[in-house]
Amino acid sequence: MKLYSYFRSSASYRVRIALNLKNLPYDYAPIHMLRDGGEQLKPEYRKLNPDGVVPTLVDGDNVLQQSLAIIEYLEETHPEPPLLPKAPADRAYVRSVALQIACEIHPLDNLRVLKYLKHTVGTDDETKDAWYRHWVEAGFTTLEQHLAGDSRTGKLCFGDTPTLADACLVPQVFNAQRFKIDVTRFPTIQRIHDHASQLDAFARAAPGVQPDAE
Amino acid sequence: MKLYSYFRSSASYRVRIALNLKNLPYDYAPIHMLRDGGEQLKPEYRKLNPDGVVPTLVDGDNVLQQSLAIIEYLEETHPEPPLLPKAPADRAYVRSVALQIACEIHPLDNLRVLKYLKHTVGTDDETKDAWYRHWVEAGFTTLEQHLAGDSRTGKLCFGDTPTLADACLVPQVFNAQRFKIDVTRFPTIQRIHDHASQLDAFARAAPGVQPDAE
């Protein structure tokens, strides 16, 4: 398998975690999102990924987009170890945590959104940074309530075994920390992040140790 | 089952389509997103849905959030008729179309985002409307390329049988039309929308025929 990835992209980071958790080796194809106007927007790459976003996973003849769809594919094609629990209601719960991050937080703080705010809406850097912090903090506030209040929460989002939810949470915390958000205000999120980050599959997926890290 | 829904919410609309496609009857609990500061933000509702968003599906003891997680749950608990194809790569493709809408388009045009733009960033209505159109048009441009270029596209997103992808596409087109976006510029999207909208399950899920429609 070949993963088109940018070290700092949190959607790429999710898929790297999932590949590592499933012990699947892969080739790393770096796509530099800032260099030269963004390599993800070049026609060559857009043949693989018309949206011009990372990651893309190529598995034989299959070209796969969207990090959560890629992780569900890995779950179906390489079921062990599972990244989703067995019972449908628990699977829905884990997916809802992942989607809360992937749909309610991350899309608002994407590079292209921040660019549009700055260059088209014309906001200053202070307003742009406040925007970033607002959506992370709003999302983390409700995510913290979810996780702190649910009996299924353990050392990780669902018990003590890594799931799709942890694969989304850790990259989002990485992003928040980059933007100097005080994650200790969200103690359950912080605790899960700290535990997960020490696991080998997460540590090997971290942005700082990727081939294209700067 | 009981669905907490707002007639115009496109995430609610997705779940209504899925319930109808699976011939599952449900009670409709209206949550008015504009009345009284937003009923979705009231403490009573937040006990069910800490994020303060619709929809929430209650199935016996299970309280389920996030439209795509709810639809995957329905798929697992009521497999017939399926809303995902059989082969993992095809399932990933259908999910990626759904996620492109749910992660790349819809979150940017949410009510709470438009409110933040207007009241906190302080944009005028023209800039806010341009923002809305920009993300729909950018998303539809790449979605159109996807759908027009993939041999799996039929009368609907994946062949001629309704899937999760159609359950996301139709509500997004409804939103676009409300904001006077010319969807005919995206002929494959328009064609799929028009075909799907005539199917009974989609027609019965339409905002205009819900109990809380205005």
Side-chain angles (χ1 to χ4, degrees):
Chain A
M1 286 191 277
K2 186 171 185 173
L3 181 69
Y4 292 82
S5 167
Y6 178 54
F7 73 111
R8 255 196 214 127
S9 144
S10 69
S12 301
Y13 191 177
R14 294 174 196 155
V15 175
R16 296 194 302 257
I17 292 169
L19 286 162
N20 292 346
L21 284 168
K22 290 188 175 285
N23 300 304
L24 297 169
Y26 62 95
D27 294 327
Y28 190 102
I31 297 293
H32 199 300
M33 291 182 70
L34 300 176
R35 187 185 300 149
D36 203 12
E39 290 177 357
Q40 78 282 9
L41 302 176
K42 302 290 175 203
E44 312 87 90
Y45 180 69
R46 285 209 154 173
K47 280 182 204 154
L48 290 175
N49 189 311
D51 297 330
V53 295
V54 286
T56 303
L57 183 72
V58 178
D59 182 21
D61 290 338
N62 298 325
V63 180
L64 308 159
Q65 290 116 7
Q66 289 290 338
S67 59
L68 297 189
I70 294 172
I71 297 175
E72 296 270 0
Y73 170 87
L74 295 174
E75 183 75 358
E76 291 174 351
T77 52
H78 299 85
E80 294 300 328
L83 303 187
L84 288 170
K86 285 207 174 122
D90 291 336
R91 295 165 73 84
Y93 173 70
V94 167
R95 285 184 175 121
S96 76
V97 171
L99 287 162
Q100 203 233 321
I101 295 166
C103 294
E104 313 284 344
I105 304 176
H106 180 62
L108 295 160
D109 290 340
N110 244 330
L111 181 62
R112 65 198 179 104
V113 174
L114 301 178
K115 273 187 183 169
Y116 186 93
L117 266 180
K118 184 167 181 173
H119 299 300
T120 307
V121 178
T123 59
D124 55 24
D125 282 347
E126 200 178 323
T127 306
K128 181 170 69 68
D129 291 351
W131 166 282
Y132 191 103
R133 283 195 305 273
H134 174 79
W135 298 113
V136 173
E137 290 175 355
F140 275 8
T141 299
T142 55
L143 184 59
E144 176 69 24
Q145 281 175 36
H146 259 292
L147 293 170
D150 199 293
S151 61
R152 290 169 282 197
T153 306
K155 290 181 184 165
L156 295 166
C157 291
F158 185 89
D160 298 341
T161 308
T163 63
L164 171 66
D166 304 299
C168 291
L169 183 135
V170 167
Q172 189 59 60
V173 171
F174 168 80
N175 274 355
Q177 288 172 334
R178 263 187 73 216
F179 272 74
K180 315 271 185 239
I181 290 166
D182 178 14
V183 183
T184 62
R185 284 175 48 206
F186 311 100
T188 314
I189 294 174
Q190 177 81 62
R191 176 175 67 69
I192 291 171
H193 167 268
D194 292 351
H195 182 76
S197 303
Q198 291 175 14
L199 303 175
D200 178 65
F202 289 78
R204 284 190 291 120
V209 299
Q210 300 314 303
D212 56 340
E214 283 164 7
Chain B
M1 285 191 278
K2 185 170 184 173
L3 181 69
Y4 292 81
S5 167
Y6 179 54
F7 73 110
R8 256 195 212 128
S9 143
S10 70
S12 302
Y13 191 177
R14 292 173 197 155
V15 175
R16 296 194 303 258
I17 293 169
L19 286 162
N20 292 347
L21 283 169
K22 289 187 175 287
N23 301 305
L24 296 169
Y26 62 94
D27 294 325
Y28 190 101
I31 296 293
H32 199 300
M33 291 182 71
L34 299 176
R35 186 185 299 150
D36 203 12
E39 291 179 355
Q40 77 283 10
L41 302 175
K42 303 288 176 203
E44 312 86 91
Y45 180 69
R46 284 208 154 175
K47 280 182 203 155
L48 291 176
N49 190 312
D51 297 331
V53 294
V54 286
T56 303
L57 183 73
V58 178
D59 183 20
D61 290 339
N62 299 325
V63 180
L64 307 160
Q65 291 114 9
Q66 289 290 337
S67 59
L68 297 189
I70 294 171
I71 297 174
E72 295 270 1
Y73 170 86
L74 295 173
E75 182 74 358
E76 291 174 351
T77 53
H78 300 85
E80 295 298 328
L83 304 187
L84 288 170
K86 283 208 176 125
D90 291 336
R91 295 165 72 84
Y93 173 71
V94 168
R95 286 184 174 121
S96 76
V97 172
L99 286 162
Q100 202 232 322
I101 295 166
C103 294
E104 313 284 344
I105 303 175
H106 179 62
L108 295 159
D109 291 340
N110 243 331
L111 181 62
R112 65 198 180 103
V113 174
L114 301 179
K115 274 188 184 170
Y116 185 93
L117 266 179
K118 182 165 182 176
H119 299 300
T120 307
V121 177
T123 57
D124 55 24
D125 282 346
E126 200 178 321
T127 306
K128 181 170 69 68
D129 290 351
W131 166 281
Y132 192 104
R133 284 194 304 273
H134 174 78
W135 298 113
V136 173
E137 290 175 354
F140 275 9
T141 299
T142 55
L143 184 58
E144 175 69 23
Q145 281 175 37
H146 259 292
L147 293 170
D150 200 291
S151 61
R152 290 169 284 196
T153 305
K155 289 182 186 166
L156 295 166
C157 290
F158 186 89
D160 299 339
T161 308
T163 63
L164 171 67
D166 305 298
C168 291
L169 182 135
V170 167
Q172 189 60 61
V173 171
F174 167 79
N175 274 354
Q177 288 172 334
R178 262 188 75 214
F179 272 73
K180 316 269 184 241
I181 290 166
D182 177 15
V183 183
T184 62
R185 284 175 48 205
F186 310 101
T188 314
I189 293 173
Q190 177 82 61
R191 175 175 67 68
I192 291 171
H193 167 269
D194 292 350
H195 181 76
S197 303
Q198 291 174 13
L199 303 175
D200 177 65
F202 289 77
R204 285 190 291 120
V209 299
Q210 300 314 303
D212 56 339
E214 283 163 10

